[in-house]
């Protein structure tokens, strides 16, 4: 059988990019037409003008915190905050949803009627799942959508699923022993619990030889631990809002982007794309007409990896999850946001990247803006540190020291605000 889920995975990168950019105007038009929130946010946008990454970068980033705020503000009238194009009788949506889920917040997410609505089949296929396999799914099937997300992808491949859900370790272990599933879907930690419990009780889980895990970190040490027990585990990166974003392959070199999303890496607190390889926030535009999220800020940090995947998949690769982009800190009773640091930097063409470092204890908090000179600058412009300090005070209402650094001095880890205090 093919190593690839479909021919889209091996398209020439230029062909893929052309197809994505050709689809982008329709995505924007769909969002403006059927999602009231985007009708307001993109009121002055001509959809046909948004046909390139450069044009896309001019649109506002909608972060999860803003989505939650809009949902809360319209809770009894429009539970999706005006971002969904589907719903049910009594809402403004033109088409009906199949299900609605609730994630922590609470944030509500719609599920449409499309086969493999969250596009998880591609990640399962890369993990070795094939038609006829029995997959034991231990993600939740109620409130949150994880179980439904994975099951939809497994069914699209032709797998049979056992909806184990969360908890009930003894009962799930009994089901594994008696049903002998070929594969596991769930968190890596629960798979480890099942394997350890099986060894402790003498129950066999030898039928499980492959796994797709998500929802938490999957370190190489745990991957190797499972491999020593004849289970090949692969990870994917997905959210309840967007579905599949990226997935691991047999190459074990980063995560390959899904074919149904447009991904940008932006400087935290802004909507400005960073150079390839630099760590920043993942911003995703989905081609899903039912929930047409345009420039949705995931709040997660990652970076683009150079070159194609050694497996032959030609889509862009990312390093995977590298932390959170929301680095807001409270200093002397005032909140300081990454967007404020970005605002300071934008006023100074002499400055490249910058990081605000917060140190001290209790009432003695102190801030230092560590600012790199732009690559084109060799000499330090006279009075630059003082001018930067003045603007930091104007923007944040707090005093800060300024330390000027040569270009390339700051770590490439996506941090804009670094809180070094021992308390939070």
């Amino acid at each position: 059988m093919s190593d690839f889920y479909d021919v889209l995975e091996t398209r020439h990168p230029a062909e893929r990019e052309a197809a994505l950019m050709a689809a982008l105007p329709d995505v924007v038009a769909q969002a403006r037409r059927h999602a009231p929130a985007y009708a307001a946010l993109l009121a002055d946008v001509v959809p046909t003008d948004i046909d390139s990454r450069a044009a896309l970068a001019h649109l506002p980033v909608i972060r999860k915190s803003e989505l939650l705020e809009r949902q809360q503000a319209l809770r009894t009238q429009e539970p999706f905050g005006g971002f969904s194009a589907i719903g049910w009788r009594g809402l403004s949506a033109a088409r009906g949803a199949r299900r609605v889920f609730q994630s922590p917040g609470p944030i509500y997410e719609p599920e449409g009627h499309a086969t493999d609505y969250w596009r998880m089949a591609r990640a399962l296929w890369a993990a070795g799942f094939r038609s006829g396999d029995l997959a034991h799914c231990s993600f939740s099937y109620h409130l949150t959508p994880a179980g439904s997300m994975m099951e939809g992808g497994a069914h699209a491949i032709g797998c049979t699923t056992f909806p184990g859900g969360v908890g009930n370790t003894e009962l799930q272990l009994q089901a594994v022993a008696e049903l002998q599933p070929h594969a596991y879907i769930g968190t890596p930690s629960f798979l480890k619990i099942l394997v350890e419990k099986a060894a402790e009780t003498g129950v066999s889980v030898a039928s499980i030889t492959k796994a797709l895990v998500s929802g938490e970190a999957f370190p190489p040490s745990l991957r190797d631990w499972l491999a020593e027990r004849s289970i090949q585990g692969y990870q994917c990166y997905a959210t309840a809002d967007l579905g599949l974003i990226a997935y691991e392959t047999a190459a074990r070199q980063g995560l390959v982007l899904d074919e149904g999303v447009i991904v940008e890496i932006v400087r935290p607190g802004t909507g400005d794309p960073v150079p390839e390889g630099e760590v920043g926030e993942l911003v995703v535009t989905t081609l899903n007409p039912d929930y047409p999220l345009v420039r949705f800020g995931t709040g997660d940090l990652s970076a683009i990896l150079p070159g194609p995947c050694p497996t032959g998949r030609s889509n862009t690769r990312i390093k995977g999850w590298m932390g959170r982009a929301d680095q807001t800190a409270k200093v002397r009773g005032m909140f300081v946001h990454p967007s404020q640091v970005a605002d300071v930097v934008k006023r100074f063409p002499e400055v490249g990247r910058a990081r605000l470092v917060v140190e001290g204890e209790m009432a003695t908090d102190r801030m230092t803006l560590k600012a790199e000179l732009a690559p084109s600058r060799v000499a330090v412009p006279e009075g630059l540190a003082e001018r930067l300090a003045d603007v930091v005070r104007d923007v944040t209402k707090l005093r800060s020291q300024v330390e000027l650094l040569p270009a390339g001095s700051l770590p490439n880890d996506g941090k804009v605000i670094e809180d070094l205090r021992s308390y939070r």
Side-chain angles (χ1 to χ4, degrees):
M1 299 181 70
S2 173
D3 290 334
F4 307 113
Y5 181 65
D6 57 25
V7 297
L8 297 180
E9 293 186 341
T10 56
R11 286 182 290 179
H12 191 282
E15 180 186 352
R16 175 183 295 106
E17 185 70 4
L20 290 175
M21 293 305 105
L24 185 54
D26 289 339
V27 172
V28 176
Q30 173 78 357
R32 290 180 77 248
R33 188 180 305 117
H34 296 297
Y38 279 117
L41 287 165
L42 307 179
D44 297 328
V45 173
V46 178
T48 52
D49 290 345
I50 312 302
D51 59 357
S52 68
R53 289 182 181 268
L56 180 63
H58 287 294
L59 301 185
V61 173
I62 304 301
R63 293 186 164 84
K64 190 180 285 282
S65 57
E66 183 175 350
L67 176 65
L68 175 59
E69 289 173 2
R70 286 175 176 267
Q71 285 198 4
Q72 289 174 333
L74 299 172
R75 189 68 86 198
T76 59
Q77 310 158 38
E78 178 57 68
F80 301 119
F83 288 96
S84 176
I86 58 176
W88 50 84
R89 182 163 52 86
L91 301 182
S92 59
R95 292 171 287 121
R98 175 187 286 163
R99 297 186 183 95
V100 57
F101 291 98
Q102 182 195 78
S103 293
I107 292 178
Y108 292 102
E109 298 102 4
E111 179 188 43
H113 291 268
T115 300
D116 190 18
Y117 175 79
W118 277 281
R119 310 177 314 283
M120 295 304 306
R122 195 176 302 282
L124 290 160
W125 187 274
F129 288 61
R130 295 296 184 267
S131 179
D133 285 346
L134 172 60
H136 182 111
C137 183
S138 71
F139 276 121
S140 175
Y141 276 79
H142 73 283
L143 291 181
T144 60
S148 184
M149 291 172 71
M150 293 294 185
E151 186 167 273
H155 289 172
I157 289 175
C159 297
T160 301
T161 54
F162 173 75
V166 297
N168 299 308
T169 304
E170 290 77 11
L171 285 176
Q172 295 215 41
L173 191 57
Q174 179 183 355
V176 171
E178 295 176 350
L179 296 176
Q180 299 185 43
H182 305 91
Y184 167 90
I185 303 170
T187 63
S189 60
F190 189 66
L191 177 56
K192 186 172 188 288
I193 289 171
L194 286 177
V195 173
E196 289 177 333
K197 189 70 173 179
E200 177 187 322
T201 59
V203 173
S204 175
V205 293
S207 65
I208 297 179
T209 60
K210 50 201 170 187
L212 180 68
V213 300
S214 193
E216 59 190 29
F218 185 44
S221 58
L222 180 51
R223 180 194 67 199
D224 295 343
W225 185 90
L226 291 170
E228 291 168 1
R229 290 153 181 81
S230 301
I231 301 174
Q232 296 299 318
Y234 294 83
Q235 61 182 315
C236 72
Y237 172 46
T239 73
D241 320 277
L242 299 159
L244 181 66
I245 298 172
Y247 59 97
E248 192 173 23
T249 73
R252 307 288 190 183
Q253 296 182 22
L255 306 181
V256 177
L257 294 183
D258 178 52
E259 299 292 330
V261 292
I262 300 170
V263 171
E264 304 166 89
I265 307 289
V266 308
R267 201 169 307 285
T270 77
D272 304 330
V274 301
E276 184 172 310
E278 185 172 324
V279 177
E281 181 185 6
L282 273 162
V283 170
V284 182
T285 297
T286 174
L287 305 185
N288 180 0
D290 293 339
Y291 201 30
L293 294 175
V294 177
R295 300 204 87 199
F296 185 75
T298 63
D300 293 328
L301 294 174
S302 194
I304 299 295
L305 286 173
C309 178
T311 63
R313 292 172 174 85
S314 58
N315 207 346
T316 302
R317 295 176 300 151
I318 60 174
K319 287 187 177 180
W321 187 82
M322 299 178 68
R324 292 293 295 167
D326 184 5
Q327 302 156 22
T328 298
K330 196 171 187 178
V331 183
R332 297 197 291 276
M334 301 284 289
F335 283 106
V336 182
H337 305 277
S339 58
Q340 293 175 302
V341 179
D343 185 18
V344 172
V345 172
K346 282 182 177 179
R347 303 187 191 190
F348 292 88
E350 309 97 317
V351 175
R353 294 188 302 157
R355 172 177 299 193
L356 191 68
V357 178
V358 185
E359 301 171 281
E361 296 179 3
M362 299 303 290
T364 62
D365 295 337
R366 60 184 182 277
M367 302 193 314
T368 302
L369 181 71
K370 296 188 175 184
E372 290 183 355
L373 293 177
S376 59
R377 299 280 177 168
V378 178
V380 177
E382 185 177 352
L384 177 59
E386 291 78 9
R387 289 185 284 124
L388 277 165
D390 289 342
V391 174
V392 171
R393 186 175 63 250
D394 290 343
V395 172
T396 68
K397 312 306 178 188
L398 295 165
R399 294 184 180 276
S400 174
Q401 297 177 331
V402 173
E403 182 180 343
L404 298 177
L405 304 169
S409 299
L410 294 173
N412 180 24
D413 56 11
K415 288 186 178 179
V416 175
I417 297 177
E418 185 174 15
D419 195 340
L420 298 180
R421 295 171 294 182
S422 58
Y423 70 98
R424 296 291 187 267

